[in-house]
Amino acid sequence: MRVISGTAKGRSLKAVPGKNTRPTTDKVKEAIFSMIGPYFDGGLALDLFAGTGGLGIEALSRGADRAVFVDLEGASIEVVKQNVQAAGMSDRAEIYRTDAVRAVKALAKRRLKFALVFLDPPYRMKDMDVLMGELAERGLLVDGAKLVVEHDAEHLYPEAMDHYSQIKHTHYGDTAVTIYRYEAENGQEPTED
């Protein structure tokens, strides 16, 4: 695994030991960024099931200002820290060990707004549409934000949901990538409850 493009191009990334993490392959990562970028003019990125941190690091390398990495597994958090450091991006990264729902609540209290969100959970989790609803309800997204959901190819997410429209859906073997664009109602950002 490596950083494919941008300021950290070519830097090697470590994998999480064991078989509990399924890193995004370079081929799939390249395809994702060609669909959502390929480069960015600032903005915040959220890598919510970070694993190795590869997607968030790639976003930083391609121009995102800062990235927040979240994972529940201690081994993943250690690898994210090492990979962020190896890519020379420690000053632009926040790394938290917690579950996704708790992280969303904590980030909402800070009133952060993300332009890019990566949702690459274990394939047994098939409720990313619910988590996307939470992100929208809590006002964590800028208008036009892009959300990348990596999931089991046998599972289909809806083409449209409140505030979201699917802009791309593609398969790579047993992996599917579904990309959504967030649209605030009438151009108005949701308010915090």
Side-chain angles (χ1 to χ4, degrees):
M1 287 188 318
R2 63 191 170 87
V3 181
I4 296 167
S5 190
T7 59
K9 180 179 180 177
R11 302 267 179 108
S12 290
L13 301 176
K14 291 184 176 186
V16 179
K19 295 186 174 156
N20 292 338
T21 304
R22 170 198 33 75
T24 303
T25 65
D26 287 351
K27 175 186 171 188
V28 173
K29 195 180 341 177
E30 181 62 61
I32 287 170
F33 282 90
S34 69
M35 289 184 272
I36 64 170
Y39 298 97
F40 311 104
D41 188 17
L44 283 179
L46 175 59
D47 195 345
L48 207 43
F49 298 86
T52 64
L55 292 170
I57 290 168
E58 191 73 34
L60 287 171
S61 183
R62 292 171 183 248
D65 289 326
R66 289 180 25 236
V68 176
F69 299 85
V70 175
D71 205 287
L72 188 55
E73 301 300 323
S76 290
I77 291 298
E78 285 309 309
V79 168
V80 171
K81 288 177 182 173
Q82 292 170 24
N83 284 341
V84 163
Q85 189 169 15
M89 297 175 174
S90 298
D91 60 330
R92 295 166 53 206
E94 293 179 32
I95 304 166
Y96 300 104
R97 182 180 179 185
T98 188
D99 70 70
V101 173
R102 188 172 289 170
V104 166
K105 290 176 183 174
L107 294 168
K109 286 180 183 171
R110 293 175 55 195
R111 299 184 187 275
L112 295 178
K113 300 254 184 206
F114 295 94
L116 271 176
V117 177
F118 300 101
L119 302 172
D120 184 11
Y123 280 180
R124 70 179 179 277
M125 295 177 70
K126 295 178 171 35
D127 59 351
M128 291 306 97
D129 47 347
V130 174
L131 196 54
M132 288 169 61
E134 278 282 302
L135 289 164
E137 276 178 41
R138 293 185 179 274
L140 278 163
L141 305 169
V142 300
D143 193 34
K146 291 186 179 134
L147 287 86
V148 177
V149 184
E150 201 172 319
H151 57 96
D152 188 322
E154 291 181 14
H155 182 73
L156 281 177
Y157 281 102
E159 282 189 32
M161 297 178 274
D162 283 351
H163 300 290
Y164 295 102
S165 55
Q166 190 180 115
I167 55 175
K168 191 79 175 173
H169 175 77
T170 188
H171 291 85
Y172 303 92
D174 62 355
T175 296
V177 175
T178 305
I179 299 173
Y180 291 92
R181 183 178 194 279
Y182 169 77
E183 288 145 15
E185 277 182 313
N186 306 323
Q188 298 294 314
E189 305 259 344
T191 55
E192 185 140 337
D193 47 357

